[in-house]
Amino acid sequence: MDDDNGGIFSSIRFWQGWSIAATLAALFAFAANMQYAQDGNVPDYVAIVGEAGSEPLWVVNADLADGVINVRAGAASGPGDDEVYRLWVVRQDDPQSIGVLPVNRERRTFKLDKNVNRLLVHGQTLGVSRDPATADEDEDAKPTSYDYQATITRL
């Protein structure tokens, strides 16, 4: 098939790659869901953060009925000296911080405030920023850009 005639969307390689990436994402979401189900905590929302076609950097599972988010680091390693990755609910005028993300295959659980919990029910975009480790001291600090983004969706 000639890719020059129809562009990227008529390319068999594009659709094969997309299919592989979607399958991997579904498998990781299923595996993460199974792990949390064994703990007695079944998530109802999931987001997979990372590049398509590679191991996810983070798998985010949310149980909004209980108001908690569980994050498992996959391929994510530390961003650098005196820096952390921070998870946000992406909102143009008022991004909402969820917390500092784990790295090196660690897990972390965040209790959500009611405002963030209400936002996530509507399937929001999550963003990951790279921030100074001292950013916790400045509550008004907001990200200027996101290194990664993913949509949290209902299972």
Side-chain angles (χ1 to χ4, degrees):
M1 176 178 251
D2 188 8
D3 293 343
D4 295 335
N5 291 336
I8 191 167
F9 293 111
S10 66
S11 168
I12 291 174
R13 286 188 180 166
F14 170 79
W15 290 111
Q16 286 173 338
W18 182 251
S19 173
I20 290 170
T23 301
L24 287 172
L27 288 173
F28 279 111
F30 179 75
N33 189 29
M34 291 300 293
Q35 281 185 319
Y36 287 113
Q38 290 171 355
D39 297 341
N41 189 11
V42 181
D44 48 359
Y45 290 81
V46 68
I48 298 176
V49 181
E51 302 293 330
S54 62
E55 182 182 358
L57 296 172
W58 295 276
V59 176
V60 180
N61 289 287
D63 181 350
L64 299 182
D66 289 339
V68 295
I69 282 187
N70 295 294
V71 180
R72 181 177 51 88
S77 58
D81 293 339
D82 299 324
E83 289 184 316
V84 295
Y85 287 116
R86 185 173 303 280
L87 184 64
W88 300 85
V89 176
V90 176
R91 299 190 70 207
Q92 190 168 11
D93 296 332
D94 187 26
Q96 300 290 310
S97 176
I98 295 175
V100 174
L101 289 169
V103 293
N104 302 324
R105 308 234 179 252
E106 294 175 351
R107 293 179 188 223
R108 189 163 293 154
T109 300
F110 302 97
K111 184 74 176 157
L112 300 175
D113 69 34
K114 290 181 182 182
N115 185 37
V116 171
N117 198 37
R118 206 171 318 118
L119 290 170
L120 292 178
V121 168
H122 301 291
Q124 296 291 313
T125 299
L126 299 178
V128 175
S129 66
R130 188 180 311 200
D131 299 328
T134 58
D136 281 341
E137 299 165 8
D138 183 7
E139 293 181 13
D140 294 328
K142 303 290 182 186
T144 56
S145 66
Y146 299 100
D147 291 30
Y148 305 97
Q149 290 189 18
T151 301
I152 190 161
T153 55
R154 188 174 186 103
L155 290 176

